[in-house]
Amino acid sequence: MRWPLSVAAIVFLIAYAVPILWPRLPHVADQTADHLVFVVWVLFGVDYLVRLALAGERWTFIRGNLLDLALIALPLRPLRPLRLLRLVVVFGVMNRRVQMSFRGRVLTYVVGSVVLVVFLASLAVLDAERGKAHANIQTFGDALWWSMTTITTVGYGDVYPRSAEGRLAAVLLMLAGDALLGVITASFASWFVERLRNVERAEERTQAVLAEVLTEIRVLGQRLDRAAGTDPAKDERA
């Protein structure tokens, strides 16, 4: 299900982003996007139930995936402030696909994850703030600028969310940024340790080969001395 879920996550992201980026869409287009979001959301729910059915320890699976369960079970349509939490599941699904080829592709993972997190956070905060009284994030450019300054911990403070939903998006962005930084740091540390171990193993193999070569040279020298009629031990005593 990795590829179908990845495609579904992209469809979900497009259907979620289009009405936010272009709020004056025709009613038919807006309804179509809303229906796509709902269909993909159902697919995510089916994926969770299938993984639960296949899990050997189901309670362990539930405890380890409480966020997925909460986001699928909550009635998100009446609770509009929680709508942005749908994006967490989208990121989780896409992240599962990327992790399958994580080793050796750290740069791709970092760039892709940062772009995805920043884009999702910008959409979420724009959806939460636009049209609210005293809100200073009214365009996607403002939202993107805020996301970049927040995830890089610069925090100029010229634009910031004021609504509860927008601040929730800020908290999720901060947590995602810290988690991503931790993953990157751990990955590079693991890579360096692995390279050092490889160098040590190569040095050990080189020393072993060198010792064998020196032994062969010593044996060959003794054979040559015997062939020439000389005794190395007598020569040393002399």
Side-chain angles (χ1 to χ4, degrees):
M1 290 295 293
R2 289 194 303 269
W3 279 108
L5 284 178
S6 299
V7 174
I10 295 173
V11 172
F12 185 103
L13 184 59
I14 294 173
Y16 181 88
V18 168
I20 298 175
L21 297 176
W22 293 279
R24 296 181 181 179
L25 281 175
H27 181 70
V28 175
D30 188 66
Q31 288 294 317
T32 301
D34 192 49
H35 292 330
L36 284 174
V37 167
F38 178 74
V39 170
V40 176
W41 192 250
V42 171
L43 182 60
F44 288 163
V46 172
D47 169 66
Y48 178 85
L49 294 177
V50 171
R51 287 190 291 134
L52 176 62
L54 295 176
E57 297 290 339
R58 295 184 179 178
W59 283 113
T60 303
F61 176 83
I62 293 174
R63 288 194 299 268
N65 297 273
L66 290 176
L67 182 59
D68 288 356
L69 176 61
L71 298 182
I72 292 171
L74 284 175
L76 295 182
R77 285 182 181 273
L79 302 178
R80 187 181 181 280
L82 297 179
R83 185 171 65 178
L84 63 92
L85 292 179
R86 298 174 177 178
L87 301 177
V88 177
V89 175
V90 176
F91 180 75
V93 169
M94 300 184 76
N95 191 47
R96 269 191 287 158
R97 178 67 190 93
V98 174
Q99 284 179 342
M100 299 305 296
S101 58
F102 178 71
R103 294 301 298 272
R105 302 183 182 180
V106 176
L107 182 59
T108 301
Y109 177 84
V110 171
V111 174
S113 297
V114 169
V115 170
L116 184 60
V117 168
V118 169
F119 183 66
L120 294 180
S122 301
L123 289 176
V125 77
L126 179 61
D127 187 33
E129 294 291 303
R130 185 167 51 195
K132 299 291 180 63
H134 307 296
N136 53 22
I137 300 178
Q138 296 292 338
T139 65
F140 184 71
D142 294 337
L144 188 61
W145 171 251
W146 169 82
S147 297
M148 290 297 298
T149 57
T150 301
I151 199 172
T152 56
T153 69
V154 175
Y156 285 112
D158 51 345
V159 290
Y160 53 90
R162 296 189 177 186
S163 64
E165 186 180 355
R167 291 176 179 176
L168 178 58
V171 171
L172 293 176
L173 177 61
M174 295 173 195
L175 294 176
D178 291 340
L180 184 60
L181 180 61
V183 170
I184 296 170
T185 303
S187 301
F188 274 109
S190 175
W191 181 77
F192 277 118
V193 170
E194 184 176 355
R195 291 299 298 271
L196 287 176
R197 288 177 179 173
N198 291 336
V199 170
E200 291 176 354
R201 294 192 188 105
E203 184 177 357
E204 291 174 358
R205 288 193 297 267
T206 302
Q207 291 177 353
V209 171
L210 182 60
E212 293 179 359
V213 172
L214 292 176
T215 302
E216 292 292 335
I217 292 175
R218 188 178 300 110
V219 172
L220 180 61
Q222 292 174 355
R223 291 177 179 176
L224 291 175
D225 290 337
R226 285 195 295 269
T230 59
D231 188 349
K234 292 180 179 181
D235 293 342
E236 290 180 0
R237 287 195 298 271

